[in-house]
Amino acid sequence: MYRALALVYAAVVIGKNSGGYAHPLGGWAVLAVLAVWTGVATLAYRDPSRRGRPLLVADLAVAFGCILATAWVETAHHIAAGRPTLPVSWVAAAVLAWAVAGGRRLGVTAALVLGVANLLVHAVAGTAGGIGNTTLNGIVLLFLAGLVVGQVVRLAREAEARLARAVELEAATRERERLARRIHDSVLQVLAMVQRRGGEAGGEAAELGRLAGEQEAALRALIGAGPAAGSGTAPAGVPAPRPGTGPGPAADLRQLLTGQASAAVTVSTPATPVPLPEHAAQEVAAAVAAALDNVRRHCGDGARAWVLLEDGPGEVTVSVRDDGPGMPPGRLDAAAASGRLGVAQSIRGRVRDLGGTVSIVSAPGEGTEIEMTVPR
């Protein structure tokens, strides 16, 4: 785009000054070269495989030659008076190309070459002693363009590399959290049950329970180590992915939740289907199952739970409430710190990965209510 706009400006300047040229046809010939090379360079630079040294050298050589042609086309009087070279600002395109390709060093190198060309125009025309501010300002601007654009390109490449590393880390963290949830929902619960039942049975079963307890603690420490045990916040500037909220086969969340109803669990849903992408519906249902499992484990066999599904225009809300003993303040944070990540991973982690939020309200003697909101 810069080449095209600069070409238009060069055409205006040549058309305006051609009447005073020593060789007017030479000015139009230079304009033709500029037009042809603008088209060639635009097409060539579009192909990444061609953006090598030959194209860059050719680009700089065309700019160099068009600047030197000014000494033949223009009169010595006009050159001494500070009239611009024939290609005017079009030559900066070569400097920008070199800066983009190789950063500050190549950008400044190209500016140096074209600066020498501007000085040679005065030397060939015999006006070397009358180099004016216009020529010097043009050379300085070329140097600044090469330096600044080269620096910006270097910073952009570093930022792109950091972003790629952050995305890779985020993907690894999300996979780790997914595996941690699956382990918590299966292996850890089995090990905890073996430990409890073994202790109750005594004898050799007690030893088996002790070993299961050790393995449970070691496994909890393993899945709780590293970034997956933290808040799950994505690296700065990197949005957390939301798997399951995109297009895909839909599932009725009502059917998945009503399957968890029992004598101790009451499930209330709308009369009409509540469609969600299949993965999202499965994850919400798994989070509800984890919440109900916590009710059974921590509130006793006589505890009751109520599941309420609400279908809003832009979001789906599922509430799980129980009549258990409730939790004291700081209980969840202490559990997460000790490696017990049932709520942090199986509930909050799942909903967070869907782009949703989780609210937990509990107090000793007043039961617990978990509200999960997922965008449609």
Side-chain angles (χ1 to χ4, degrees):
M1 183 174 291
Y2 178 85
R3 288 179 192 273
L5 294 176
L7 176 64
V8 173
Y9 178 54
V12 171
V13 172
I14 291 175
K16 178 182 177 181
N17 298 334
S18 61
Y21 288 160
H23 301 90
L25 292 179
W28 296 112
V30 170
L31 180 60
V33 172
L34 297 180
V36 171
W37 184 251
T38 296
V40 171
T42 300
L43 294 176
Y45 279 117
R46 285 181 180 177
D47 185 357
S49 64
R50 297 180 180 178
R51 298 173 191 166
R53 184 174 300 177
L55 180 59
L56 291 171
V57 172
D59 197 6
L60 190 62
V62 171
F64 189 93
C66 290
I67 292 176
L68 283 184
T70 305
W72 174 67
V73 175
E74 270 283 15
T75 64
H77 173 72
H78 287 152
I79 293 175
R83 180 175 282 184
T85 58
L86 295 176
V88 284
S89 56
W90 183 91
V91 296
V95 176
L96 299 181
W98 277 58
V100 170
R104 293 172 299 180
R105 291 184 179 180
L106 286 188
V108 170
T109 300
L112 177 63
V113 172
L114 296 185
V116 171
N118 278 278
L119 297 178
L120 287 176
V121 169
H122 287 270
V124 173
T127 59
I131 299 176
N133 291 333
T134 301
T135 301
L136 294 178
N137 288 340
I139 294 174
V140 170
L141 288 176
L142 288 177
F143 272 98
L144 291 177
L147 182 64
V148 172
V149 173
Q151 174 70 3
V152 169
V153 169
R154 185 182 69 84
L155 294 177
R157 286 175 175 166
E158 291 179 355
E160 182 180 14
R162 287 196 298 269
L163 177 60
R165 289 194 297 270
V167 170
E168 182 180 357
L169 174 61
E170 178 67 11
T173 300
R174 294 294 175 182
E175 178 64 14
R176 182 187 184 93
E177 291 180 349
R178 186 188 67 82
L179 293 176
R181 288 194 293 267
R182 296 294 177 86
I183 292 174
H184 175 271
D185 292 347
S186 56
V187 180
L188 289 179
Q189 294 185 13
V190 171
L191 291 175
M193 183 184 67
V194 172
Q195 180 188 20
R196 185 173 62 255
R197 296 290 177 84
E200 295 173 354
E204 294 183 358
E207 176 64 15
L208 180 62
R210 184 187 66 81
L211 294 175
E214 292 178 355
Q215 294 305 311
E216 180 198 8
L219 189 55
R220 287 187 185 278
L222 178 62
I223 67 174
S231 63
T233 303
V238 180
R242 298 180 177 180
T245 56
D252 187 359
L253 184 58
R254 295 183 313 159
Q255 298 179 359
L256 296 176
L257 295 185
T258 54
Q260 302 186 33
S262 66
V265 178
T266 301
V267 179
S268 301
T269 66
T272 56
V274 182
L276 277 182
E278 185 175 2
H279 172 78
Q282 293 288 349
E283 288 294 277
V284 172
V288 172
L292 294 176
D293 182 70
N294 283 341
V295 174
R296 288 189 291 268
R297 293 172 58 194
H298 301 294
C299 300
D301 296 334
R304 288 188 54 81
W306 293 265
V307 178
L308 174 62
L309 171 60
E310 300 175 84
D311 186 12
E315 60 190 19
V316 172
T317 302
V318 182
S319 302
V320 180
R321 181 171 58 88
D322 64 64
D323 60 357
M327 295 183 294
R331 171 70 178 276
L332 294 178
D333 293 336
S338 64
R340 299 184 177 274
L341 305 177
V343 174
Q345 294 288 6
S346 295
I347 300 177
R348 280 178 170 158
R350 280 191 167 97
V351 176
R352 182 187 62 244
D353 283 354
L354 298 174
T357 58
V358 175
S359 173
I360 300 178
V361 178
S362 182
E366 297 183 5
T368 301
E369 181 175 2
I370 301 176
E371 184 177 277
M372 295 167 274
T373 302
V374 176
R376 298 197 64 85

